[in-house]
Amino acid sequence: MKPKKVTKAVFPVAGLGTRFLPATKSIPKEIMTLVDRPLIQYAIDEARAAGIKEFIFVTSRGKSALEDYFDNAPELESELRRKGKTEMLEVLKDTNMDSGAIAYVRQNRPMGLGHAVWCARRLIGDEPFAVLLPDDVIAAEKPCLQQMVEAYAQTGGCMVAAMEVPPARASSYGVLDIKNDLGAIVEVKGMVEKPKAEEAPSNLAVIGRYILTPQVLNNLNRMKQGAGGEIQLTDAIAEEVGGKAGVYGYRFRGQRYDCGSKAGFLQATVAFGLSRPDLCEEFGAYLNDMIVQRQAAQ
Ligand code: G1P
């Protein structure tokens, strides 16, 4: 039987973003911009491309800028219309969500990613759903979640995006214990959240894109604390290993940027800047000059 279509996605955006203080003192991390689009826009576009129709944000205090971002902006729009700036109006279209397509639930205590996803349980109901972590920005010809939706149509079960990382970095991720490596798709026999480098079962790490069965929400009901004393999504997914539908890793095609770290954010800024036709020439020339200057100074 073909698995049910995935039409709902959860965006956990409740984090404090302390790594980006002081900027995140007054703006949500997800509003920080890569070139001219906030991080959250990249995640939303990816979800749309994968056929997602309902967008569920798990937020917290101080995140109202996100709600405004996805709302109409009548004054701005009428001003742009008056000035004949149709291109800008087009750009804004991507930020407007139909009423009812977007919902916000609050996570009132920071208890971990698993807890954040659990907060959305009533809106998800009894169907498979996607989770996208906006910190992980993935540049790909075919958007990552779309690749996963296609793979999931063959496997069913739970599917997590996966990527090889240097063994010393495994302790920053959820890590897969591989049962059967089929290439792009990997059958999983276990998952460990943030293992010590020497205890990591592989160097195949979980990246922030998931397609999950509603059973994972039941597992989260038990509120079992895991790594760092938090309720971990990884643990709730791992409970599905050996179940009827199973758990799979998916080696996506694309370049992932860890925009939860400053270095990753800067790398993404350079890469996205260079990929923009309106910027690549000027920006590329500047970067080349910088390199020459740095080499001369050494
Ligand atoms: C979260 C998940 C982890 C995953 C990572 C990917 O960790 O808990 O399993 O590997 O995202 O970015 P975080 O980075 O929020 O600590």
Side-chain angles (χ1 to χ4, degrees), residues 113 133 136 172-174 193-194 206-208 210 232 234 256:
L113 179 59
L133 309 187
D136 283 331
S172 306
Y173 296 93
E193 180 67 13
K194 313 238 161 71
V206 176
I207 299 303
Y210 307 78
Q232 297 291 354
T234 298
R256 172 255 186 176

Side-chain angles (χ1 to χ4, degrees), residues 62-222:
K63 297 279 181 168
S64 49
L66 277 167
E67 297 192 30
D68 290 341
Y69 179 77
F70 289 111
D71 203 349
N72 288 357
E75 282 165 22
L76 174 63
E77 285 161 23
S78 68
E79 188 62 12
L80 292 175
R81 216 166 286 120
R82 200 177 61 79
K83 291 186 170 154
K85 302 212 164 175
T86 42
E87 252 175 63
M88 289 288 114
L89 281 165
E90 266 316 296
V91 167
L92 283 184
K93 267 195 189 153
D94 282 347
T95 69
N96 290 353
M97 288 280 195
D98 289 342
S99 294
I102 192 161
Y104 300 88
V105 287
R106 282 229 180 177
Q107 182 187 27
N108 56 12
R109 274 170 300 164
M111 290 172 67
L113 179 59
H115 179 260
V117 170
W118 176 82
C119 290
R121 67 200 176 282
R122 293 202 176 86
L123 295 172
I124 298 165
D126 191 26
E127 51 185 288
F129 60 100
V131 177
L132 293 94
L133 309 187
D135 274 2
D136 283 331
V137 175
I138 301 172
E141 216 164 280
K142 182 183 280 188
C144 179
L145 191 66
Q146 194 181 345
Q147 296 176 35
M148 288 173 71
V149 161
E150 288 170 11
Y152 164 83
Q154 300 168 30
T155 61
C158 289
M159 181 171 277
V160 300
M163 180 182 106
E164 260 85 22
V165 297
R169 298 285 304 132
S171 56
S172 306
Y173 296 93
V175 178
L176 302 182
D177 195 354
I178 301 168
K179 179 177 172 198
N180 200 1
D181 196 333
L182 306 165
I185 296 175
V186 175
E187 220 179 310
V188 167
K189 65 175 177 204
M191 288 171 79
V192 194
E193 180 67 13
K194 313 238 161 71
K196 290 198 190 109
E198 62 278 14
E199 285 166 14
S202 75
N203 66 339
L204 197 55
V206 176
I207 299 303
R209 301 289 183 275
Y210 307 78
I211 296 175
L212 302 176
T213 60
Q215 186 55 39
V216 172
L217 299 172
N218 292 341
N219 301 344
L220 287 168
N221 273 334
R222 287 194 284 282

